Amino acid sequence: MTLKSVLSGVACAALCLSAVSPGVVVAAEEKPCLIAGWQNPASICAAHTKTIAATCFICHGPNGKSIGAVPSLAGQDKAYLAEAMRDFKSGKRESTVMKKYALGYSDSEYDDLAAYFAAIK
Amino acid sequence: MTINRRSFLKYSGASLAATLAPQLAFAMAGKPHVVVVGAGFGGATCAKYLRMWDPNIQVTLIEPNAQFYSCPMSNWVIGGMRTMDDIVKSYANLPGYGIKMVQDTAVGVDANKRVVTTGKGQKISYDRLVLAPGIEFMTDQIEGFAEGEAAGKVLHAWKAGPQTLALRKQLEAMPDGGVFVIASPPPPGRCVSGPYERASLVAQYFKRNKPKSKIIMLDGHFDVVSKGPMFKAAWKKLYPGMIDHRPYNLVTKVDHKSMIVTSEFEDVKADVINIVPKQRAGAICASAGVRTDTAGVWCPVNGVTYEAPNVPFVHILGDSVASNMPKSAHVSNNQAKICAAALVEMFNGREPNPYPVIGSTSYSATSDETSGPIAVVMRYDPDKEAYIRQPGGGAADLSDELNFAYNLSWFENIWADTFG
Ligand SMILES: Cc1cc2nc3c(=O)[nH]c(=O)nc-3n(C[C@H](O)[C@H](O)[C@H](O)COP(=O)(O)OP(=O)(O)OC[C@H]3O[C@@H](n4cnc5c(N)ncnc54)[C@H](O)[C@@H]3O)c2cc1C
């Protein structure tokens, strides 16, 4: 799926596309994805994951590399991170603030965040 | 496939056309230019993430100060737990991201020509302008405040810097048995829990050094509105009888010669006076024509891009924003990333993420070994065009040592993320 096919049929498509600078590379294999129950073009999900991950940096350190008592997320096992969010949500794992965070994000966001942080070297 | 067409259309109609069309010329000519005003938690974060996420974007950051004094942890200085050296943050790392730093004050915005004017007379043109100037104080709402402040007898210490140190010095010089009056305005304002943290840490100092002294809080709020149970429990346990919290007690007048603070209900004699006046968005927001909420004090924004609804190409971040979010460093840093990500998408001809999420955690210390958090997640709902608080958020009932460690960690990580 290309950016073009995602945007075509939308009222401003011509305008949006005309503003794409020549250097922009559009991934060939973009799949639609879900955020908060809505289907979206892949570029939106990528931006969404990047931005919510950056929210985590405030406590867990820039790029998930903490310089304090709060644990780092960068490079941790993907399944472990997603599981931790689920356990915070259910209360199986105790937390100070993480249950409140887990309740504010969806299951698919746990997975996306886990993949994002697991991939950081 | 279905995309969320409704919100996309709502968002992209006239506004996306207006925002993208003029960029085209620029994008072809070379690199888009974003000018950021204010290198605090909102502005510095935005400048840094714009450069990290799209090195094609040119970023100029205007800030008059050579270094940043952090409000977070400044109560720890006032309480004697830390020194000014611990809260000063260098801007030295920011040029390394390719940010052009301009040491100057933005004094005017021509939103039609898209030019910012500085105090030294520079004219800097922009494709997008990001205003993150923090707050200015409405000192005229308190009779005698300006005179008292000029005389050095009435301090707010609500922007970290010289007043932080001056307040600490006054508390050190105060004799045992003295009265410290701290007054705070009703919301919305910068850091709602800050006055209660400040009272706690000054109480700790008094308890150890001047045990006959008292703290009188004249609170414009109806109660200890942030982390109330936690603060009240700590005060009762750690500083019994020392903090006299008087709600619904908005200060209207201060006389620095007689050292009397007057509220709507009473006159209080003080030895050290700390009044936090009501606040509004920084003055540059008025110049840009974006300080346009109903009271004319804060700046409404589009929750996806942080652009002003009435002035295209001007975005606002941090405490200056009119919203239901807490006015905190945490939220300012978070908004900055949402804005930066939206600008990157738009400069590259893509729709910005219509579902931004704000996470807000705030720690307050109640002593030099205990703190407690409040946390809430707010998600933007494109249909309601508002950030909605997600269920489950809230404050801890008690402060403890584990959260003190996390509080310290929070400072280190947000400083590194913003300025490092
Ligand atoms: C005592 C106290 C304790 C606090 N503790 C916490 C805490 O623990 N956690 C938390 O999250 N928040 C805390 N806060 C709140 C936090 O400090 C603010 O919410 C945050 O600083 C707001 O960020 P900002 O970017 O909007 O403004 P600021 O961080 O104030 O930055 C604004 C910058 O803009 C510059 N500027 C202003 N006007 C211009 C102009 N015209 N041209 C150029 N530059 C300009 C200023 O010099 C300044 O550097 C605390 C606040 C106080 C007062």
Side-chain angles (χ1 to χ4, degrees):
Chain A
M1 165 141 325
T2 64
L3 179 67
K4 192 164 181 170
S5 68
V6 170
L7 291 175
S8 61
V10 178
C12 84
L15 202 150
C16 295
L17 289 172
S18 71
V20 177
S21 58
V24 175
V25 182
V26 179
E29 294 280 319
E30 291 187 0
K31 289 198 203 85
C33 56
L34 275 181
I35 306 172
W38 291 103
Q39 288 231 319
N40 293 279
S43 74
I44 286 190
C45 294
H48 183 75
T49 302
K50 177 180 84 173
T51 320
I52 56 176
T55 297
C56 309
F57 298 175
I58 304 173
C59 291
H60 291 275
N63 240 359
K65 296 174 183 172
S66 175
I67 52 174
V70 171
S72 291
L73 302 175
Q76 296 236 34
D77 181 66
K78 185 177 149 184
Y80 166 79
L81 288 175
E83 189 67 19
M85 290 302 282
R86 289 184 184 105
D87 289 348
F88 285 136
K89 184 178 183 180
S90 70
K92 187 173 157 199
R93 182 164 169 187
E94 276 201 43
S95 62
T96 53
V97 298
M98 284 314 297
K99 180 171 186 173
K100 304 178 202 311
Y101 273 90
L103 285 165
Y105 291 91
S106 66
D107 237 44
S108 65
E109 286 170 329
Y110 299 167
D111 293 331
D112 294 341
L113 285 170
Y116 184 96
F117 283 109
I120 297 174
K121 290 286 161 277
Chain B
M1 76 178 262
T2 38
I3 62 170
N4 181 359
R5 193 149 296 180
R6 194 151 46 123
S7 73
F8 188 10
L9 291 177
K10 191 191 296 176
Y11 172 72
S12 26
S15 100
L16 196 64
T19 50
L20 284 178
Q23 239 94 65
L24 187 57
F26 199 94
M28 284 177 172
K31 298 159 185 281
H33 183 213
V34 178
V35 174
V36 182
V37 174
F41 287 100
T45 304
C46 186
K48 192 173 148 177
Y49 276 80
L50 278 168
R51 291 288 309 160
M52 290 198 299
W53 282 340
D54 188 351
N56 194 48
I57 299 172
Q58 288 186 310
V59 177
T60 301
L61 179 53
I62 306 176
E63 166 64 52
N65 297 316
Q67 51 192 4
F68 185 76
Y69 283 97
S70 171
C71 280
M73 201 186 252
S74 67
N75 282 335
W76 298 34
V77 176
I78 290 163
M81 285 158 55
R82 291 290 188 281
T83 68
M84 293 299 281
D85 288 345
D86 296 308
I87 62 167
V88 67
K89 301 297 140 195
S90 164
Y91 290 134
N93 291 319
L94 296 179
Y97 293 91
I99 298 164
K100 186 177 176 217
M101 300 286 293
V102 172
Q103 199 179 343
D104 208 341
T105 304
V107 294
V109 175
D110 183 333
N112 292 322
K113 294 200 180 114
R114 284 196 251 166
V115 172
V116 186
T117 309
T118 69
K120 292 179 192 160
Q122 297 187 70
K123 292 197 183 302
I124 306 175
S125 61
Y126 61 84
D127 293 290
R128 296 271 171 179
L129 177 64
V130 176
L131 300 177
I135 50 166
E136 76 176 356
F137 297 107
M138 296 158 77
T139 51
D140 57 345
Q141 308 235 326
I142 299 170
E143 192 185 330
F145 186 99
E147 296 84 341
E149 188 182 24
K153 293 289 208 176
V154 177
L155 302 171
H156 54 73
W158 219 241
K159 287 184 184 183
Q163 290 210 5
T164 311
L165 186 60
L167 183 55
R168 176 64 199 161
K169 291 249 151 81
Q170 291 188 8
L171 291 166
E172 282 173 357
M174 190 187 89
D176 191 9
V179 174
F180 172 48
V181 170
I182 169 167
S184 48
R190 165 173 286 184
C191 197
V192 171
S193 56
Y196 311 116
E197 180 187 62
R198 183 171 291 181
S200 307
L201 301 182
V202 173
Q204 172 178 259
Y205 168 68
F206 284 172
K207 183 182 168 186
R208 289 177 186 168
N209 299 278
K210 301 170 181 178
K212 290 191 287 238
S213 310
K214 285 262 176 309
I215 299 171
I216 297 178
M217 289 196 81
L218 299 177
D219 194 339
H221 299 298
F222 61 88
D223 198 354
V224 179
V225 282
S226 179
K227 304 171 185 138
M230 179 195 99
F231 279 117
K232 286 178 184 172
W235 294 349
K236 201 167 158 198
K237 181 170 169 221
L238 302 173
Y239 320 114
M242 191 167 259
I243 301 173
D244 178 357
H245 178 258
R246 303 182 184 174
Y248 281 124
N249 227 325
L250 184 66
V251 165
T252 53
K253 189 176 157 185
V254 60
D255 181 347
H256 72 273
K257 293 203 179 98
S258 59
M259 293 295 278
I260 288 182
V261 182
T262 304
S263 78
E264 286 165 319
F265 296 107
E266 56 187 323
D267 288 342
V268 179
K269 177 94 173 74
D271 294 280
V272 176
I273 299 176
N274 178 198
I275 298 175
V276 181
K278 280 191 190 175
Q279 302 130 42
R280 63 185 171 199
I284 191 67
C285 295
S287 316
V290 297
R291 206 163 67 183
T292 57
D293 71 344
T294 40
V297 292
W298 306 112
C299 310
V301 293
N302 173 313
V304 170
T305 59
Y306 289 79
E307 187 173 8
N310 61 326
V311 184
F313 312 109
V314 177
H315 302 246
I316 306 103
L317 296 176
D319 286 357
S320 291
V321 169
S323 80
N324 56 346
M325 300 174 211
K327 294 193 188 298
S328 70
H330 196 107
V331 166
S332 302
N333 171 298
N334 202 155
Q335 290 175 343
K337 290 165 180 168
I338 294 170
C339 176
L343 289 176
V344 167
E345 293 308 295
M346 291 193 294
F347 280 132
N348 287 286
R350 298 185 297 257
E351 179 196 1
N353 170 24
Y355 322 96
V357 184
I358 290 276
S360 167
T361 303
S362 141
Y363 291 95
S364 297
T366 53
S367 75
D368 60 4
E369 47 192 23
T370 51
S371 293
I374 187 168
V376 65
V377 175
M378 302 178 75
R379 301 188 71 106
Y380 188 74
D381 181 328
D383 290 324
K384 299 196 177 91
E385 295 186 343
Y387 280 88
I388 309 296
R389 273 169 198 266
Q390 301 301 298
D397 289 333
L398 294 172
S399 48
D400 59 26
E401 289 172 19
L402 176 63
N403 279 298
F404 188 82
Y406 288 163
N407 190 354
L408 267 173
S409 176
W410 180 90
F411 292 133
E412 296 300 338
N413 281 320
I414 196 171
W415 288 330
D417 191 38
T418 306
F419 305 109

